[in-house]
Amino acid sequence: MDSGLKETNNRFKHIPAMDSGEFQAFLNNSDDIIIATDPDGTIKFANLKARRMLGYLAYELEDKKIINIVKDDHGSYAEEVVAKARRGQIVKDIKLILVGKQGQKIMVEGSLTPLFEHRECTSLWAKFTTVTPDASTDKEIKKLRQKRFELEALKSLSDRLTNIFDLREAIKTINNYLSEVLEYSSAAYLIFSPEHDDGYVFINYLKDKVGKKYIEAVKKDISSHLTNERHKEIKQIMDKFTDIKPEIHGSRLDSGSRSVPRSQVIFPLKLGAATLGLIHISSSKPNRYLGGTNWLTDAMVVTFVLFVVRLQMVLRAQRSRTETLVRSLSDGIIMFNDQLNITLMNEQGQEFTGLDPNLASLRDFFALFPKANLESKTTKMLVSGKTVHVDNVHLRSRHYEIFFTPVKDNQGKVVNGAIVLHDITRLKEIDQMKTDFVYIASHQLRTPLTGIKWFIKLLEKEIIKNGQVTTREKECLEQITLSNNIVIKLVNDLLNVSRIETGHKFKIEKTSFDFSVLMKEILKDNVVGMEENNITVKVKCQPAKLRLRADRTKVRQVIHNLITNGVKYSLSGGTVLVNAKADKKQVIISVKDSGIGIPKNQQQDIFSKFFRADNASAKGLPGSGLGLYMAKAVVEAHGGKMSFKSILNKGTIFTFTLPR
Amino acid sequence: MAKKILVVEDVSFLQNAIKMVLEDAGYEVLTASDGLKGLNAATTKKPDLILLDIMMPKMDGMTMLKKLRQHPNGKRVPVIILTNLSSEEKLIEANKEGVTDYFIKSDWEIEELPELVENKLG
């Protein structure tokens, strides 16, 4: 017999029923857990059900507190309940987890009722029923959770698409979405769009490793779906569909795979009656899409359709803005695709070329400039992906600079080309005016310079005639002469340069003459600095009697120029060697010095107009920087070539050839 | 008697310099500043030698020379062309008209002139 009951009997002996065994039996037969405690929660009685559920013997429960038999984190809740009850409240809807002797957890719910005697709480009676999770409620909850999850995914997809303006990026986003709601091996997108040059975009995204066989099957399925398509443009595309290769995204094609789609579903992308395209989902596993499409995938399709339509509108607007801009440019623009068909020619382009963009091909354009070899320039641009530039071409009495630029897609692949025709006629005219001006100016300058030159000499004579020329006077006259000579030389050089540039009066008049005789003349010319710096000039000629056929005056000038340079930039006591030899084809003349040389980083500019290397200017000797420019022009006008080799502070050798 | 030299040159200071140097060398110098005046002087004053510029207003040197050679008084007189042109085109053309020699103003020194004149007078 429970000792606990004895106590109870003693306590509740004023309730007659409590004394009886029937009451005890009643409590023990109950299917509920009944626990009686004293006001502070110490257990005084636990019925059979309670003891069985908790796995305790009666005496083991005695003097345990309620909080000892509840789950840890329910402890304070239990205390609260006990405190409430003690104050006189019947606490209902208690939900607790009891912990049994072996640590087993029992979910219960029930009430705690206080008993009072003479307004004093004498006991607390807890009545609990066990709770088992309802199988059907669980299912409901799961379903709701799933729905919420799906809606959230759809909303997130929709949000993301709002910020995307690129079709491929949108497709990527959709693929990610699909991965969360469907199982699939491949997602193929066929989107008809006039904005895209071929009229469509066909992308096959591979989630699993599949092979050619698989994507061929996908194509076939798509093709049969669209056989009834009436729209003309789409029909055109579908006619060539078997030849069309999709862009493969995601996994690479696995050449060893022989898997085929075992389940597939097509989502047509339609706006009203218009077909925008379709999305083809397939899996290498069977029976994946038996449910067909559901509200969720339908919602996704609608979202995507709206995206495509929005994108097309944006692209159209952009394109028309771009087209307007291109058409209004003052440069001629010709755009062409990878088939080398002209896709756009602006008004200026038409005016410049005289071509009709609807009829002309790129070949016709190339044919306008036969000497410029534009076809190879176009190829170079397409292959290298870099802009190619042609300096100066001539068409219908105007001059153009032509740029070939690539037009690339998002992945940096060259898809189109653009040719820009820039009119430089005005620039050329101005350049010509400048040259003409130099010519005229230098020509006019010669006369007064001659006057100065002559009168200096006459003045000199007068002063000497009067006897007693002071050193000062002599020096002044010498300096005036020197300065004047420099000016004369510069003016002569400018004149020659402008002659070269215009081709005006720069004609080669060939005569036959003897090299050694020419050299003798040149050396008689008293090359500046030869004596003062003790420079020797040696001439070697092979064969000894070498005859040339060239413009004597100009060649004389070239050699004179090279020797002058050799002497000017030589170190004291050096030698300048002039060497001439001939073979059947040409005469090769070289002038070698042991002078200051040309610094390596300035060598590429040495033949440029007005260029003087830093070490040459530093030497303090006068020079216009025009000598080599003119020398090269003369040699090249003869059909020859001019080159040099130089080592800093060791010397330079200039070599030129004159064809026979 | 001093030999008479006619200098036909439109640029006055060049004309002066030539006059100066030739007078110093003992010649009598006549001057004309364009082709017309020059032709007139050449046919009437009968100089012993003519120094003739090519580029002149009213009548240029080549035209004057042609006309001179057609004149009885001008068939034989030695003519030295004064030129700035370093290309020999015009000189070759001038040779046909009976030019005795040429003197390139821009390249040559003034003191070489009297020597040249003396050579051609002989």
Side-chain angles (χ1 to χ4, degrees), chain A residues 443 446-448 450-455 457-458 461-462 465 485 488 492 499 505 507 509 553, chain B residues 11 13-14 16-18 20-21 24 84-89 103-111:
Chain A
H443 205 274
R446 289 176 117 197
T447 306
T450 306
I452 295 172
K453 183 174 72 170
W454 285 354
F455 277 104
K457 275 287 167 350
L458 293 175
K461 259 176 54 182
E462 284 306 306
K465 219 194 278 179
N485 286 343
I488 291 174
N492 282 337
R499 280 197 188 130
K505 296 196 176 199
K507 289 188 206 95
E509 288 151 11
T553 320
Chain B
V11 179
F13 52 82
L14 295 183
N16 287 341
I18 295 170
M20 230 186 266
V21 84
D24 275 357
N84 251 339
L85 306 164
S86 40
S87 94
E88 274 139 274
E89 290 169 43
F103 180 77
I104 304 178
K105 291 183 282 188
S106 50
D107 291 354
W108 295 0
E109 301 293 348
I110 187 76
E111 55 255 35

Side-chain angles (χ1 to χ4, degrees), chain A residues 185-345:
Chain A
S185 307
S186 125
Y189 297 77
L190 176 62
I191 306 197
F192 302 115
S193 172
E195 266 66 43
H196 297 94
D197 289 310
D198 299 315
Y200 66 89
V201 174
F202 183 30
I203 293 175
N204 199 337
Y205 170 77
L206 303 178
K207 192 145 178 291
D208 299 334
K209 272 197 176 321
V210 295
K212 256 197 178 164
K213 208 170 173 204
Y214 194 102
I215 59 172
E216 288 295 319
V218 166
K219 260 175 66 173
K220 209 161 162 226
D221 200 35
I222 293 176
S223 195
S224 59
H225 177 88
L226 286 169
T227 38
N228 296 325
E229 191 52 50
R230 294 233 198 90
H231 194 272
K232 193 180 71 173
E233 277 174 17
I234 297 175
K235 231 181 144 326
Q236 278 179 347
I237 293 164
M238 292 320 293
D239 283 340
K240 325 183 257 176
F241 195 60
T242 38
D243 299 329
I244 291 174
K245 282 198 158 58
E247 271 176 55
I248 306 283
H249 290 203
S251 285
R252 285 223 200 112
L253 275 179
D254 183 351
S255 51
S257 163
R258 303 202 58 83
S259 64
V260 285
R262 288 236 150 74
S263 11
Q264 36 204 4
V265 61
I266 289 184
F267 298 102
L269 301 171
K270 280 197 180 284
L271 191 70
T275 305
L276 296 180
L278 53 80
I279 304 179
H280 179 285
I281 311 275
S282 58
S283 170
S284 52
K285 301 202 186 97
N287 302 327
R288 280 285 169 276
Y289 313 117
L290 292 176
T293 62
N294 60 17
W295 74 273
L296 197 61
T297 43
D298 283 345
M300 174 201 85
V301 165
V302 168
T303 309
F304 190 54
V305 163
L306 290 174
F307 167 81
V308 170
V309 169
R310 191 181 109 250
L311 187 68
Q312 283 181 353
M313 278 170 50
V314 168
L315 287 178
R316 208 171 287 147
Q318 274 183 358
R319 189 183 237 207
S320 78
R321 270 204 300 275
T322 311
E323 274 187 12
T324 312
L325 179 68
V326 166
R327 286 189 196 289
S328 70
L329 289 175
S330 56
D331 285 346
I333 312 247
I334 300 173
M335 293 193 70
F336 58 93
N337 62 13
D338 56 358
Q339 309 291 326
L340 298 186
N341 292 327
I342 294 182
T343 54
L344 173 78
M345 191 191 298

Side-chain angles (χ1 to χ4, degrees), chain B residues 43 67-79 97-98:
Chain B
T43 47
K67 291 197 192 262
L68 180 67
R69 292 306 187 209
Q70 288 162 3
H71 195 277
N73 286 347
K75 283 204 166 66
R76 290 245 181 83
V77 63
V79 173
E97 302 303 319

Side-chain angles (χ1 to χ4, degrees), chain A residues 508-559:
Chain A
I508 302 292
E509 288 151 11
K510 291 192 181 172
T511 54
S512 187
F513 58 92
D514 188 279
F515 180 74
S516 322
V517 173
L518 181 72
M519 284 312 300
K520 282 207 186 89
E521 265 180 45
I522 295 174
L523 293 176
K524 236 184 7 165
D525 249 357
N526 191 22
V527 176
V528 174
M530 249 170 86
E531 274 181 34
E532 307 148 24
N533 292 335
N534 193 20
I535 313 275
T536 344
V537 182
K538 289 207 186 116
V539 181
K540 222 167 75 174
C541 184
Q542 206 176 21
K545 258 246 172 232
L546 175 60
R547 285 193 79 81
L548 315 172
R549 210 181 143 66
D551 187 317
R552 196 179 195 274
T553 320
K554 296 200 171 71
V555 171
R556 183 186 201 272
Q557 201 171 11
V558 170
I559 299 175

Side-chain angles (χ1 to χ4, degrees), chain A residues 345-363:
Chain A
M345 191 191 298
N346 70 348
E347 232 176 87
Q348 281 292 69
Q350 290 177 48
E351 217 185 286
F352 290 163
T353 60
L355 295 173
D356 181 346
N358 297 318
L359 302 171
S361 71
L362 209 57
R363 283 246 149 68

Side-chain angles (χ1 to χ4, degrees), chain B:
Chain B
M1 202 184 48
K3 299 277 186 172
K4 248 190 294 192
I5 316 284
L6 171 63
V7 179
V8 188
E9 164 67 65
D10 64 320
V11 179
S12 59
F13 52 82
L14 295 183
Q15 203 195 75
N16 287 341
I18 295 170
K19 184 161 190 253
M20 230 186 266
V21 84
L22 289 178
E23 278 176 352
D24 275 357
Y27 297 98
E28 189 194 325
V29 180
L30 308 166
T31 62
S33 47
D34 64 65
L36 259 176
K37 292 201 183 99
L39 184 63
N40 203 11
T43 47
T44 54
K45 301 279 173 59
K46 291 204 240 173
D48 298 298
L49 183 139
I50 303 177
L51 288 167
L52 179 58
D53 182 27
I54 297 195
M55 290 296 180
M56 286 187 295
K58 295 211 186 119
M59 186 192 286
D60 68 272
M62 293 317 340
T63 316
M64 194 204 112
L65 184 58
K66 241 189 228 150
K67 291 197 192 262
L68 180 67
R69 292 306 187 209
Q70 288 162 3
H71 195 277
N73 286 347
K75 283 204 166 66
R76 290 245 181 83
V77 63
V79 173
I80 299 177
I81 303 277
L82 299 170
T83 176
N84 251 339
L85 306 164
S86 40
S87 94
E88 274 139 274
E89 290 169 43
K90 290 266 173 147
L91 296 168
I92 294 167
E93 197 202 328
N95 244 329
K96 296 189 192 139
E97 302 303 319
V99 166
T100 318
D101 209 329
Y102 59 90
F103 180 77
I104 304 178
K105 291 183 282 188
S106 50
D107 291 354
W108 295 0
E109 301 293 348
I110 187 76
E111 55 255 35
E112 298 178 51
L113 193 56
E115 197 182 313
L116 182 64
V117 165
E118 198 182 303
N119 278 340
K120 299 304 158 182
L121 274 173

Side-chain angles (χ1 to χ4, degrees), chain A residues 37-293:
Chain A
T37 71
D38 65 18
D40 64 34
T42 313
I43 297 175
K44 289 296 171 192
F45 169 76
N47 75 343
L48 198 55
K49 180 82 181 189
R51 281 177 287 146
R52 280 235 181 89
M53 295 286 324
L54 294 169
Y56 283 112
L57 294 172
Y59 75 90
E60 285 173 328
L61 274 178
E62 206 167 291
D63 295 325
K64 265 201 165 49
K65 290 199 135 179
I66 294 259
I67 58 166
N68 299 134
I69 61 163
V70 302
K71 192 159 168 274
D72 276 336
D73 48 1
H74 287 184
S76 50
Y77 171 58
E79 293 249 10
E80 231 180 86
V81 164
V82 165
K84 267 195 196 155
R86 188 170 49 230
R87 287 197 290 269
Q89 193 180 329
I90 300 175
V91 186
K92 291 194 181 153
D93 289 322
I94 298 172
K95 289 189 173 63
L96 282 176
I97 294 177
L98 302 175
V99 179
K101 188 173 178 189
Q102 263 76 47
Q104 68 272 43
K105 296 200 177 64
I106 306 145
M107 202 187 280
V108 300
E109 60 183 23
S111 57
L112 187 65
T113 313
L115 281 185
F116 276 82
E117 197 180 304
H118 305 309
R119 286 193 288 221
E120 197 187 303
C121 179
T122 51
S123 58
L124 303 173
W125 285 79
K127 176 174 167 301
F128 293 129
T129 51
T130 51
V131 179
T132 46
D134 191 335
S136 66
T137 324
D138 233 22
K139 226 198 243 171
E140 284 299 317
I141 293 173
K142 255 203 185 139
K143 254 204 209 161
L144 283 170
R145 280 211 191 109
Q146 179 66 14
K147 256 237 154 85
R148 192 181 83 186
F149 169 75
E150 288 168 354
L151 278 169
E152 278 174 351
L154 188 62
K155 180 168 186 301
S156 144
L157 170 71
S158 183
D159 283 343
R160 253 185 243 141
L161 285 180
T162 324
N163 293 323
I164 291 174
F165 284 91
D166 178 72
L167 186 62
R168 282 169 182 79
E169 223 187 296
I171 286 174
K172 221 191 254 174
T173 308
I174 299 238
N175 290 334
N176 289 339
Y177 170 78
L178 286 172
S179 299
E180 292 183 20
V181 302
L182 281 180
E183 192 189 315
Y184 67 99
S185 307
S186 125
Y189 297 77
L190 176 62
I191 306 197
F192 302 115
S193 172
E195 266 66 43
H196 297 94
D197 289 310
D198 299 315
Y200 66 89
V201 174
F202 183 30
I203 293 175
N204 199 337
Y205 170 77
L206 303 178
K207 192 145 178 291
D208 299 334
K209 272 197 176 321
V210 295
K212 256 197 178 164
K213 208 170 173 204
Y214 194 102
I215 59 172
E216 288 295 319
V218 166
K219 260 175 66 173
K220 209 161 162 226
D221 200 35
I222 293 176
S223 195
S224 59
H225 177 88
L226 286 169
T227 38
N228 296 325
E229 191 52 50
R230 294 233 198 90
H231 194 272
K232 193 180 71 173
E233 277 174 17
I234 297 175
K235 231 181 144 326
Q236 278 179 347
I237 293 164
M238 292 320 293
D239 283 340
K240 325 183 257 176
F241 195 60
T242 38
D243 299 329
I244 291 174
K245 282 198 158 58
E247 271 176 55
I248 306 283
H249 290 203
S251 285
R252 285 223 200 112
L253 275 179
D254 183 351
S255 51
S257 163
R258 303 202 58 83
S259 64
V260 285
R262 288 236 150 74
S263 11
Q264 36 204 4
V265 61
I266 289 184
F267 298 102
L269 301 171
K270 280 197 180 284
L271 191 70
T275 305
L276 296 180
L278 53 80
I279 304 179
H280 179 285
I281 311 275
S282 58
S283 170
S284 52
K285 301 202 186 97
N287 302 327
R288 280 285 169 276
Y289 313 117
L290 292 176
T293 62

